[in-house]
Amino acid sequence: TTQMSQSWGAASSLFRCTSMQPPSSSGRNKSSSSGSQRPSARWLFLAACPLALSSHLNVTARAEHSSSQQSSPPPSPGVVLTLPTMLTLGRVAAIPFMVAAWYSPAAWSTAAVTSIFIAAAITDWLDGYLARRMNTSSTFGAFLDPVADKLMVATVLILLCTQPIAAGPLLGNAWLLPTCTMAIIGREITISALREWAATSGEEARGAVAVSSLGKLKTATQMVSLTLLLMMRAGPAYGYLGVAAGWAGPGLLVVATYLTVLSLVQYMTALWPYMR
């Protein structure tokens, strides 16, 4: 509208300026000047009108186009099953097979459970690497990856508690494995609740519970310790490796539990200012 007003104003000024008569000493000159300039002024005004109208139409068209672009909602992308996301889904789908192999009376049951868990630990690293390398990160994959890790770790911990291993440091310390299990699973439940609360408390609160390097170290230590504990279940079948796993597994599980609780304290400390 501003450009339209300027265009019409310029046309009107042109008409007024060209219609004005310069001072003259004779009436003949005034009449002749009036007769020669007034038609010219009218023609100039008529020529300026289409220009002003054209400018107004262009401005109106651009405004309508801009308004339609702003009012139209952005396209909502669907969930894409990329290769990293399919690997993550594979970890979740492998849990029932791991449970079935654990309670199987076959001689290969422990080896099968250990192999499935090792494959899951490898894909945990692989899906993140492929997502960065292939630039195929997605919101669904970012949500599913930590969920798959928690489900796998919680399942193995519960399975180990149902059939305690009386060997190495666990011999005579039946309380150790259930205590570590409660601390690890309890921490995951608490962190999930904290992140759900932080999601509604602003950008800074969400950033306070973002995945940290301590959390990644905790997950890696859990994976290694649980692999050793699964190997410990069939200690004689692995020879000296099984005996070493029987001593290293419980020790690493204690370290993993300490890192688990420490990361919870870290997240709680970061979120405390937003809870007041």
Side-chain angles (χ1 to χ4, degrees), residues 162-188:
T162 60
Q163 296 181 2
I165 303 171
L170 296 180
L171 184 61
N173 296 306
W175 57 270
L176 183 60
L177 191 56
T179 301
C180 293
T181 299
M182 287 188 296
I184 292 174
I185 295 180
R187 181 263 185 195
E188 300 302 343

Side-chain angles (χ1 to χ4, degrees), residues 18 30 35 46-47 53 101 105 161 164 168 178 196 207 210 217 237 245:
T18 52
K30 184 175 181 179
L46 292 176
L53 181 61
C161 289
E196 183 178 356
L217 179 61

Side-chain angles (χ1 to χ4, degrees), residues 14-21 37-38 41-42:
L14 181 63
F15 175 76
R16 288 194 301 268
C17 291
T18 52
S19 300
M20 294 177 61
Q21 298 299 322
Q37 289 192 16
R38 285 184 179 176
R42 286 194 294 269

Side-chain angles (χ1 to χ4, degrees), residues 214-228 249 251-260:
L214 181 61
K216 294 179 180 179
L217 179 61
K218 174 265 305 179
T219 301
T221 309
Q222 288 177 356
M223 294 291 187
V224 175
S225 64
L226 293 179
T227 301
L228 295 176
L252 278 177
L253 183 62
V254 172
V255 173
T257 304
Y258 169 75
L259 294 176
T260 299

Side-chain angles (χ1 to χ4, degrees), residues 34-86:
S34 175
S36 61
Q37 289 192 16
R38 285 184 179 176
S40 176
R42 286 194 294 269
W43 284 111
L44 287 174
F45 179 74
L46 292 176
C49 288
L51 294 177
L53 181 61
S54 175
S55 175
H56 168 64
L57 292 176
N58 289 335
V59 170
T60 304
R62 285 196 298 267
E64 291 178 353
H65 179 68
S66 176
S67 176
S68 63
Q69 286 185 336
Q70 292 177 358
S71 61
S72 59
S76 56
V79 176
V80 179
L81 289 181
T82 60
L83 179 58
T85 304
M86 293 176 67

